[in-house]
Amino acid sequence: MASALFDLTGRIALITGSSRGIGRVIATALADAGATVVLNGVDAERLETTRGEFAETYGDDRVHARAFDVTDATAVAAAVNDIEASVGAIRILVNNAGIQHREPLLELSLDDWNRVMSTNLTSAFLVGREVARHMLERGQGKIINIASVQTDLARPTIAPYTASKGGIRNLTRAMTAEWASGGLQINAIAPGYIHTEMTQKLVDDEEFNSWIVGRTPAHRWGTPFDLGGPAVWLASDGSDYVNGQVVFIDGGMTVVV
C-alpha cells in the first residue's frame, strides 16, 4: 500500500537545473521511484554527461535531456512543447534552477540583482506557466518549487537571493490559488544549509561552519540526499491534498531562536 502511494512509474518529470547539485539528486530520487526524467541545464556538454550517467542506471528510455535557458520565455515554451510532443505528458515539474550572488546591498548592481531574480524566481513563473497549460488540460499535475530557509530568514550580503526565495513562497501560493481547482498540487521545498558545490566555500569557512552547526538543532549541514524523500512525496499521490505549502527541510533551523 505504502509503496504504491509513492510509486512514480510511468510519470514524466521535468527538473530544471538538474545537471548537478540539488537538482541532480532530486532527479535521482524521482527516477528511483520509477519516474521518467527530463534533465535540464544551460551547459549542453555537462547536461549530456549527466544524461549518460543516468542512462547507465535507468536506461535510455527513462532518461532525456533538454538544454534550454529557463529565463528565456520563448525557449521555455518551445522546450516544454517539444517535451510534451516527443517524450510525453509532463506529470511532475521541479523548478530547481537557481544561482547565488554575495555582495552588500549598497554595492549591488542592478544587473546582478536582475540576474538572480530572473534565474531564481522568474524562471519558476515561466516554466511553471508553460507546463501548467498542459497539466490543466489533463486535470492533474505536481509542481514543486525550490525555496530556501531564506524564504523566511535573511542574513547580510545575499539580498537578491533572499528576495527571490521569498518570492518563490508567494508564487507557490499564487499558483495554488489559480490552479488547484484544475487538479494541480503546487508546493515548495525549503532546504536549509545544504552542503553542495554552491556552499563549499561556506563549509570551508571555519567560523561560518561552526555557526551553522551550532545554529541548527540537528547539529549538521544538510545533504542533497535529505531532499529526495520529500520531493518524491510531493510528486506522488501521497500528497494529493497538500497544496500551497512550503516544507522546510532545515534540521530545525527555522523553529529556534
Side-chain angles (χ1 to χ4, degrees):
M1 181 71 171
S3 61
L5 196 60
F6 303 107
D7 184 7
L8 303 180
T9 300
R11 303 184 187 188
I12 295 170
L14 168 62
I15 308 97
T16 67
S18 49
S19 62
R20 62 178 178 175
I22 287 173
R24 176 174 177 149
V25 170
I26 290 176
T28 299
L30 298 180
D32 284 342
T36 294
V37 296
V38 182
L39 307 173
N40 158 261
V42 290
D43 185 326
E45 184 176 348
R46 183 169 63 204
L47 182 63
E48 177 55 28
T49 297
T50 302
R51 188 208 64 78
E53 292 168 353
F54 268 64
E56 289 179 4
T57 301
Y58 305 106
D60 282 315
D61 60 327
R62 288 185 52 210
V63 182
H64 305 267
R66 294 294 186 275
F68 63 92
D69 182 353
V70 294
T71 70
D72 182 329
T74 300
V76 167
V80 169
N81 288 333
D82 172 62
I83 293 166
E84 288 273 334
S86 61
V87 181
I90 300 171
R91 182 78 173 269
I92 303 157
L93 167 65
V94 181
N95 279 314
N96 168 76
I99 57 173
Q100 178 62 284
H101 181 84
R102 296 181 175 90
E103 190 171 15
L105 262 173
L106 292 180
E107 300 169 19
L108 183 68
S109 72
L110 179 59
D111 284 345
D112 285 329
W113 169 274
N114 286 338
R115 181 170 57 89
V116 175
M117 294 296 287
S118 179
T119 304
N120 294 4
L121 178 58
T122 304
S123 69
F125 156 65
L126 292 175
V127 183
R129 178 181 64 176
E130 294 309 317
V131 170
R133 294 187 199 279
H134 299 277
M135 288 180 169
L136 289 167
E137 290 177 355
R138 296 185 286 266
Q140 62 182 5
K142 305 276 188 173
I143 297 177
I144 304 169
N145 297 321
I146 303 302
S148 165
V149 288
Q150 266 70 49
T151 293
D152 272 8
L153 305 176
R155 65 178 179 82
T157 76
I158 58 168
Y161 185 87
T162 301
S164 70
K165 293 304 183 179
I168 284 289
R169 172 180 53 202
N170 277 357
L171 178 62
T172 299
R173 292 172 174 174
M175 288 175 168
T176 296
E178 296 200 21
W179 300 338
S181 62
L184 277 59
Q185 289 83 50
I186 307 96
N187 295 285
I189 287 174
Y193 281 84
I194 306 296
H195 187 174
T196 66
E197 294 175 39
M198 183 184 288
T199 59
Q200 185 60 52
K201 289 184 179 180
L202 300 178
V203 175
D204 293 338
D205 183 325
E206 185 175 342
E207 182 179 356
F208 189 84
N209 180 67
S210 296
W211 180 79
I212 289 295
V213 172
R215 176 71 173 75
T216 305
H219 294 300
R220 68 173 177 88
W221 285 73
T223 73
F225 298 98
D226 291 319
L227 308 178
V232 169
W233 169 57
L234 289 176
S236 75
D237 293 344
S239 61
D240 276 355
Y241 201 54
V242 181
N243 229 323
Q245 303 304 305
V246 179
V247 181
F248 284 84
I249 306 166
D250 63 358
M253 174 176 275
T254 52
V255 302
V256 298
V257 295

